[in-house]
Amino acid sequence: MNIKTVTVIGANGTMGCNVSGIFASFGDAKVYMVCRELEAAEKAKAKASFSVKAEAIGKNLIPMIYDDLEKCISSSDLVFESVSEDIRIKKHVYMKIAKYLQPRTVIGTGTSGLSINEISECFDEIVRPNFMGIHMYNPPYNMTLCEIIPSKYTDVNVLNGMKTYLKCVLHRNVVEVKDKPAFMGNRIGFQFINEALQFAETYKDNGGIDYIDSILGPFTGRSMAPLTTSDFVGLDVHKAIVDNVYNNTEDYAHETFVMPEFALKLISEHKFGRKSSCGLYQSVVNSDGTKSINVYDIDTGVYRAKEKYIFPFAKQMIKELKVGNYTRAFERLINNYSIEATICIQFLIKYVIYGLATTKSIGENIHSADNVMATGFNWIPPLAVIDAFSGVETFKKVAHEKLTEDFLSKIDIDEILRNVPKSKYDFRPFFKAK
């Protein structure tokens, strides 16, 4: 597929801006960056160059406004929509662009989980075969995952051509997934994150937010702790993702997608996270110019200094990880019966189970969940966790010992773990000794 000219609609948003940089740098494409105001488009151009660390791509980035849509779209090989995660807004945009599309033009939406089938029906039947979901992860320069989601109308030749372009030209790790709420990466990732948020409320007397993040820190196989990730993404975006899954699915993990009341309160106060300067965490500039991090105290409703928790199990694991004793590190975790170690190991096990259950119903194959979590979240992949536990039989034994009877009654763990292969990813680099 020969993509020389791209129109990105909503280019002033974080993803629209960053994706524009990917098309212009890796793809060497001329990119029309369409925003409502020219000033916003000019600023987005500068940010796009910075996002891929390549000022030279500025010649490929052309700021435009909605009044220029006809000029942009009529000459584009690909139109990439990256407006707000609101189906009504997206439909309104598609009504504007549909009349300018050429028969050869590919249309992609960057939605992180809205129905591709529903959006595709905004177009005439002749256009629908060229439409699909193209969901990249933030920041795309560092996170190479691209979930590609065909609708029931997508032409297989167009789909395959786009997959080749994304993989060979844009150097994406392409994973085809079914059109299900939140697709795969966000569904697995935000199940984990939202349940961690629920546990923060449950254990608010123990510390709440920073307490849970400390239990599930880098030594458990993720570059960023789960609630810190939520703050980075934005609580409003977090809510949109989990609400979509909760309202449109019904599986054993259904209730883990309910946001706790304290998080809804923060959203109502426009405390979304990093983009609004405070959310679950708050960055503070002290009088001497240094910075410190505060955390929202769920019990009191005010921000306090972030604690440095020292859990014996974590200290022991980190000690073993520092010298490469991964088996010993997991033995330390498995044989520790503290509240914190129990929470940690239960989260790891449930992450694997949900990841495998999801990939079997949504992914191309059993390795799909590994690919999306490794290259979209920089988290240890589910199959790699099993490898870290010394294989399926050990993992299954520990799962039966550590999970509650209520949880085990909701799943068929033997079926979920049947014939699972070793991961294609080495688990060791994901576990950080800190």
Side-chain angles (χ1 to χ4, degrees):
M1 185 170 286
N2 193 19
I3 305 291
K4 292 299 183 184
T5 305
V6 179
T7 293
V8 176
I9 303 174
N12 57 312
T14 300
M15 282 305 296
C17 170
N18 290 345
V19 169
S20 294
I22 296 296
F23 287 125
S25 58
F26 293 100
D28 194 26
K30 177 167 69 175
V31 182
Y32 293 117
M33 300 182 69
V34 179
C35 304
R36 296 196 180 280
E37 299 174 355
L38 190 59
E39 183 181 359
E42 294 281 3
K43 290 180 179 178
K45 173 181 175 177
K47 290 180 180 178
S49 297
F50 180 77
S51 74
V52 292
K53 302 175 176 60
E55 192 174 322
I57 68 166
K59 61 181 174 54
N60 289 352
L61 300 169
I62 305 170
M64 291 294 215
I65 59 173
Y66 276 76
D67 290 346
D68 302 317
L69 280 175
E70 181 176 7
K71 175 185 176 181
C72 299
I73 293 171
S74 61
S75 63
S76 289
D77 305 300
L78 169 66
V79 175
F80 185 88
E81 169 271 305
S82 187
V83 301
S84 300
E85 279 292 275
D86 184 318
I87 192 73
R88 294 167 298 179
I89 294 174
K90 290 185 184 295
K91 287 181 176 180
H92 181 69
V93 167
Y94 289 133
M95 286 176 61
K96 284 179 174 288
I97 71 173
K99 56 188 174 183
Y100 306 130
L101 292 167
Q102 302 300 306
R104 61 179 173 76
T105 308
V106 178
I107 314 101
T109 174
T111 179
S112 58
L114 297 176
S115 171
I116 303 302
N117 283 325
E118 182 178 351
I119 299 174
S120 70
E121 291 174 353
C122 296
F123 298 105
D124 292 336
E125 290 183 7
I126 195 171
V127 175
R128 293 174 190 172
N130 288 355
F131 178 80
M132 66 194 74
I134 303 172
H135 179 218
M136 297 191 203
Y137 278 65
N138 190 34
Y141 183 76
N142 302 105
M143 298 297 182
T144 60
L145 173 65
C146 180
E147 292 177 314
I148 192 164
I149 313 98
S151 79
K152 60 186 177 182
Y153 307 107
T154 305
D155 182 285
V156 67
N157 292 321
V158 176
L159 177 71
N160 289 336
M162 183 54 61
K163 287 168 74 172
T164 300
Y165 168 73
L166 290 165
K167 181 179 179 181
C168 298
V169 179
L170 299 190
H171 303 289
R172 302 294 96 186
N173 179 45
V174 180
V175 179
E176 182 180 338
V177 298
K178 294 179 182 177
D179 182 24
K180 299 294 182 181
F183 310 135
M184 183 177 292
N186 280 343
R187 183 154 172 183
I188 297 170
F190 277 87
Q191 188 283 323
F192 189 102
I193 291 168
N194 201 65
E195 190 169 17
L197 201 63
Q198 292 176 344
F199 267 59
E201 185 170 62
T202 299
Y203 290 92
K204 62 183 179 181
D205 292 337
N206 296 54
I209 294 165
D210 50 348
Y211 172 76
I212 293 298
D213 260 359
S214 296
I215 292 171
L216 301 171
F219 61 92
T220 68
R222 49 198 47 78
S223 61
M224 186 181 288
L227 302 185
T228 302
T229 301
S230 177
D231 230 41
F232 177 79
V233 171
L235 286 172
D236 53 338
V237 177
H238 174 148
K239 182 179 185 300
I241 293 169
V242 297
D243 282 356
N244 184 28
V245 177
Y246 184 82
N247 292 331
N248 294 289
T249 64
E250 188 68 60
D251 61 21
Y252 76 87
H254 188 243
E255 294 306 311
T256 64
F257 289 97
V258 177
M259 282 193 91
E261 286 298 322
F262 82 86
L264 298 177
K265 179 176 180 292
L266 288 172
I267 292 172
S268 71
E269 296 170 353
H270 298 280
K271 296 175 180 175
F272 301 131
R274 191 171 299 187
K275 63 185 175 184
S276 59
S277 299
C278 66
L280 301 177
Y281 292 96
Q282 177 188 53
S283 181
V284 178
V285 179
N286 302 311
S287 57
D288 61 359
T290 60
K291 290 184 179 180
S292 57
I293 302 296
N294 289 344
V295 63
Y296 182 75
D297 189 284
I298 300 169
D299 195 34
T300 63
V302 298
Y303 289 89
R304 59 165 173 79
K306 181 182 176 183
E307 292 281 352
K308 291 186 177 179
Y309 295 92
I310 301 175
F311 306 126
F313 90 92
K315 190 175 180 180
Q316 292 165 358
M317 284 189 73
I318 291 168
K319 180 181 177 181
E320 300 295 348
L321 292 173
K322 280 182 177 178
V323 293
N325 289 338
Y326 296 93
T327 300
R328 184 65 177 155
F330 270 81
E331 288 174 354
R332 293 288 193 178
L333 173 61
I334 293 167
N335 295 322
N336 190 301
Y337 291 87
S338 66
I339 293 173
E340 292 80 17
T342 300
I343 291 172
C344 179
I345 199 166
Q346 286 181 344
F347 264 83
L348 280 174
I349 294 169
K350 288 189 289 185
Y351 164 67
V352 172
I353 291 169
Y354 194 72
L356 294 182
T358 302
T359 197
K360 287 181 177 182
S361 63
I362 298 176
E364 293 178 279
N365 54 56
I366 194 67
H367 293 283
S368 293
D370 272 29
N371 289 330
V372 298
M373 298 316 297
T375 62
F377 279 75
N378 200 14
W379 286 9
I380 183 169
L383 291 173
V385 176
I386 295 176
D387 294 342
F389 272 80
S390 301
V392 175
E393 291 309 314
T394 299
F395 179 85
K396 190 186 301 184
K397 178 177 180 293
V398 175
H400 279 288
E401 290 174 354
K402 297 292 184 176
L403 297 178
T404 65
E405 288 299 324
D406 178 63
F407 182 87
L408 289 168
S409 69
K410 297 175 183 177
I411 62 168
D412 185 344
I413 194 168
D414 291 332
E415 180 59 33
I416 290 172
L417 296 173
R418 189 183 307 279
N419 298 325
V420 294
K422 286 179 66 66
S423 177
K424 296 178 181 179
Y425 293 87
D426 182 351
F427 65 81
R428 291 173 295 182
F430 292 94
F431 293 109
K432 310 299 182 184
K434 58 181 181 179

